[in-house]
């Protein structure tokens, strides 16, 4: 069995290759572009793979992605129609995304930002006690990431709901499904957290129409993909007061270009796509288990349905 690790973005591909070798001692694991003979790989572990991967590795039996989102993979030129794509399921990302969400939720709901400003002014002034019923959380997406985020918020007694295409239930949260349930979900939501996969159906979902249906003085947290957000609509919603603030970890163009209006907007908090990183040890264990199962001919979870785009 031969495995190739191929990435155009990973800063330390040798570390991943070494970890895969340790986890799969029975396999030959090599790094893309290392000068070794090509064309014999059975499996490819990828993150933003090179465009000529499929031409140079025509024997691939499956492609395993280092992330949960596969929108970029589905746009690759030359991707064989029958090649199974297997996405990462969590890999340590879900708890990090829950932490990210809770940080911004607590900062707003507990007025910690105002306390920071009061400290700068030397002002000792307790603010009003929290009213959790006023901070209804709505999570778009009920997969591994969205479910963990929703459960973390519900555990702190914030009224929490999830919305998904299928209406999947999440313990501790109200569940809404399909287009018929979206309006009711948005109407009860003040803190909107986006954890959806990026598909043709979800691109641009964070737009004026969505913002206008939220409860007043709303907060947006986007931990999914930049393509979900209509940037001009966000700025308009902030200017009108429909939204109070936004926490953005992902952007249509990354890195966010110098001079972009988001940089100088105090109502927008920016992080550089770090809300949930794939932790190497957990990710490699998961990938190794799936490669062994695939090599035996067994079914695995996380196989992408190309009609749904996730």
């Amino acid at each position: 069995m031969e495995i190739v690790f191929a990435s155009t973005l990973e800063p330390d591909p040798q570390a991943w290759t070494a970890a895969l070798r340790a986890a799969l001692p029975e396999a030959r694991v090599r790094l893309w572009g290392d000068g070794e003979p090509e064309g014999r790989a059975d499996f490819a572990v990828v993150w933003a793979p090179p465009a000529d991967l499929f031409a140079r590795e025509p024997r691939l039996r499956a492609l395993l992605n280092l992330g949960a989102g596969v929108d970029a993979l589905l746009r690759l030129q030359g991707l064989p129609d029958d090649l199974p794509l297997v996405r990462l399921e969590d890999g340590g990302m879900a708890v990090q995304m829950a932490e990210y969400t809770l940080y911004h939720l607590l900062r707003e709901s507990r007025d910690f930002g105002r306390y920071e400003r009061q400290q700068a002014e030397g002002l000792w002034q307790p603010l009003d006690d929290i009213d959790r019923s006023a901070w209804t959380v709505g999570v778009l997406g009920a997969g591994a990431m969205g479910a963990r985020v929703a459960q973390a918020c519900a555990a702190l007694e914030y009224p929490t709901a999830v919305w998904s295409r299928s209406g999947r239930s999440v313990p501790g949260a109200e569940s809404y499904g399909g287009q018929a349930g979206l309006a009711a979900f948005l109407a009860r939501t003040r803190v909107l957290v986006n954890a959806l996969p990026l598909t043709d159906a979800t691109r641009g979902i964070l737009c004026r129409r969505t913002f206008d249906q939220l409860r007043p003085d709303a907060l947006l947290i986007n931990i999914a993909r930049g393509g979900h957000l209509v940037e001009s609509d966000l700025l308009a919603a902030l200017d009108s007061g429909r939204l109070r603030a936004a926490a953005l970890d992902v952007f249509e163009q990354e890195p966010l270009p110098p001079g972009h209006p988001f940089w100088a907007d105090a109502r927008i908090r920016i992080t550089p796509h770090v809300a949930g990183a794939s932790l190497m040890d957990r990710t490699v264990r998961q990938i190794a288990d799936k490669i062994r199962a695939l090599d035996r001919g067994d079914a695995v979870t996380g196989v992408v349905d190309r009609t749904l785009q996730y």
Side-chain angles (χ1 to χ4, degrees):
M1 177 171 55
E2 181 169 311
I3 302 163
V4 60
F5 182 88
S7 173
T8 60
L9 291 180
E10 173 53 46
D12 191 4
Q14 290 85 359
W16 284 95
T17 307
L20 286 165
R21 287 189 183 118
L24 291 157
E26 71 273 26
R28 177 175 181 262
V29 180
R30 63 179 178 84
L31 180 62
W32 174 264
D34 61 2
E36 294 292 319
E38 299 176 346
R40 302 182 304 186
D42 299 288
F43 302 100
V45 179
V46 304
W47 180 248
D52 55 348
L53 172 65
F54 308 111
R56 292 166 63 178
E57 294 291 352
R59 290 178 43 188
L60 289 175
R61 295 162 56 191
L63 197 70
L64 294 98
N65 193 38
L66 281 186
V70 295
D71 46 287
L73 282 182
L74 293 173
R75 297 195 300 269
L76 285 175
Q77 294 295 320
L79 176 66
D81 293 337
D82 59 349
L83 181 65
L85 308 180
V86 184
R87 58 181 170 81
L88 188 65
E89 297 173 283
D90 193 353
M93 294 181 288
V95 66
Q96 296 173 70
M97 290 185 171
E99 291 169 340
Y100 185 96
T101 298
L102 288 177
Y103 169 79
H104 292 287
L105 170 61
L106 294 169
R107 191 175 188 276
E108 292 296 320
S109 66
R110 293 291 310 276
D111 279 322
F112 290 137
R114 289 177 65 186
Y115 283 124
E116 291 170 8
R117 294 190 291 274
Q118 288 184 182
Q119 177 181 343
E121 299 169 3
L123 182 61
W124 181 283
Q125 181 179 312
L127 302 172
D128 292 339
D129 294 337
I130 186 173
D131 175 9
R132 280 182 175 76
S133 67
W135 292 92
T136 48
V137 176
V139 181
L140 290 166
M145 311 304 166
R148 187 62 179 268
V149 168
Q151 289 173 323
C153 295
L156 293 182
E157 301 182 13
Y158 288 89
T160 303
V162 295
W163 177 88
S164 64
R165 178 189 58 83
S166 63
R168 178 185 299 168
S169 62
V170 173
E174 294 182 78
S175 295
Y176 295 80
Q179 284 302 120
L182 183 57
F185 166 83
L186 294 173
R188 51 81 57 209
T189 294
R190 184 179 181 189
V191 180
L192 182 64
V193 185
N194 179 41
L196 287 168
L198 182 60
T199 68
D200 293 341
T202 64
R203 179 173 291 277
I205 192 171
L206 304 178
C207 61
R208 177 179 176 179
R209 181 178 179 183
T210 294
F211 301 149
D212 284 348
Q213 296 180 72
L214 297 172
R215 292 180 63 175
D217 201 32
L219 168 66
L220 171 67
I221 302 173
N222 189 15
I223 53 176
R225 285 289 187 267
H228 287 120
L229 176 65
V230 179
E231 294 183 350
S232 59
D233 286 3
L234 170 61
L235 292 171
L238 290 166
D239 289 341
S240 70
R242 164 56 65 181
L243 294 181
R244 64 186 283 138
L248 307 179
D249 185 58
V250 289
F251 305 88
E252 188 72 71
Q253 182 179 347
E254 295 182 359
L256 190 65
H260 192 287
F262 286 176
W263 283 118
D265 197 321
R267 303 165 298 184
I268 299 174
R269 293 190 287 281
I270 293 170
T271 48
H273 206 142
V274 296
S278 303
L279 301 181
M280 185 180 292
D281 57 342
R282 294 178 60 173
T283 297
V284 167
R285 285 200 303 271
Q286 183 182 139
I287 287 175
D289 288 344
K290 290 188 177 186
I291 286 176
R292 287 194 178 99
L294 289 166
D295 192 49
R296 294 192 302 266
D298 296 341
V300 298
T301 58
V303 176
V304 175
D305 183 332
R306 296 202 195 186
T307 61
L308 297 176
Q309 299 177 291
Y310 61 86

